[in-house]
Amino acid sequence: MGKSNGRQSIFITGAASGMGREAARLFAGKGWFVGGYDVNEAGLSALQAELGADNCLVRRLDVTDRDDYRAALAEFGEATGGKLDLLYNNAGIGRGGPFAEQPFEDVIAVVQVNLMGVLIGIHEAIGLLKATPNSLCFTTSSSSATFGMANIAVYSATKHAVKGLSEALSVEFKAYGVRVADVLPGLIDTPILPPEAIANAPKEGMFRAIPPVEVAKAVWEAYHADKLHWYVPPELVELDRAATLSPETVRDQMAQGGLFNAASE
């Protein structure tokens, strides 16, 4: 039965801080066995100390390294008896600035972590997901996947890709009995954002600052539902609809600074 002792299990990337850490805490509190993965080893050690070594498996993982990812999943599968109830692809980096001035090394880094890391994770984990009834493949997209956002163009592109991938796989994976969904967070108070972004965020509206635990709650709710896209806060769905119905209007509002002035996560 393994270390998980028959408990339901979740594999979380980017678990050392922010949304991933809050998800680890929430699921552990619900009695789940947690796999926590990140490049931040100090953060993982703190997470293990909080959750208790019997309730989790933590390990350094570079999501862009396919061999490393495969090894991490093998260790996790050994601990869970070959089961994986919820894969949470959450690891991501944010490097922004005007695209024309952005170092190309930053462009590649964002694509590698935010998109390739997700592709690798899902491709390597599908065997465990298929072996687990009612499993869920869940990924962090972004409100910047509703409409591409200036000064985080590459980040937006990767999150659009994640959203589209989730939609396509939600159809494909039905044949395996595996569910697929994603979350589109707005401005979340996590280390990926500079402090001034949070300080300057509006006090109300869809781009108000949201604590990361609200995203963790969406992950929990997603496991117990059949909804494809989860918006945090929920009113972000209106931006998605507006961008679909009239992208030129949204473009012009953004260019004039009238829609919002804070970058989103």
Side-chain angles (χ1 to χ4, degrees), residues 51-223:
L51 302 185
D54 292 337
N55 300 317
C56 64
L57 178 65
V58 302
R59 178 190 189 279
R60 187 187 188 281
L61 171 62
D62 176 358
V63 297
T64 70
D65 185 332
R66 188 179 179 191
D67 290 337
D68 194 27
Y69 215 133
R70 183 179 295 130
L73 282 163
E75 294 167 7
F76 185 80
E78 183 177 350
T80 64
K83 303 294 184 181
L84 173 55
D85 293 280
L86 204 165
L87 171 67
Y88 182 20
N89 305 291
N90 173 66
I93 61 172
R95 299 181 185 176
F99 181 75
E101 301 171 14
Q102 191 172 18
F104 197 69
E105 292 77 10
D106 283 358
V107 170
I108 296 301
V110 171
V111 171
Q112 286 293 320
V113 175
N114 294 4
L115 178 55
M116 289 304 300
V118 171
L119 293 171
I120 290 169
I122 297 174
H123 205 267
E124 294 299 325
I126 189 59
L128 290 174
L129 291 168
K130 287 166 66 175
T132 312
N134 198 42
S135 61
L136 174 64
C137 174
F138 194 82
T139 304
T140 297
S141 181
S142 168
S143 58
S144 68
T146 60
F147 189 95
M149 296 186 182
N151 297 315
I152 52 169
V154 179
Y155 181 90
S156 292
T158 62
K159 296 305 185 176
H160 272 79
V162 163
K163 185 184 180 192
L165 179 70
S166 298
E167 291 169 351
L169 296 185
S170 72
V171 177
E172 290 188 24
F173 285 8
K174 277 186 175 291
Y176 310 135
V178 176
R179 297 174 295 130
V180 181
D182 61 23
V183 62
L184 289 81
L187 196 70
I188 309 299
D189 190 358
T190 69
I192 199 172
L193 289 178
E196 58 270 20
I198 297 298
N200 295 329
K203 301 304 180 185
E204 55 185 27
M206 68 178 73
F207 286 103
R208 64 188 183 276
I210 303 288
V213 69
E214 295 303 316
V215 177
K217 291 176 182 177
V219 183
W220 175 257
E221 291 175 14
Y223 180 77

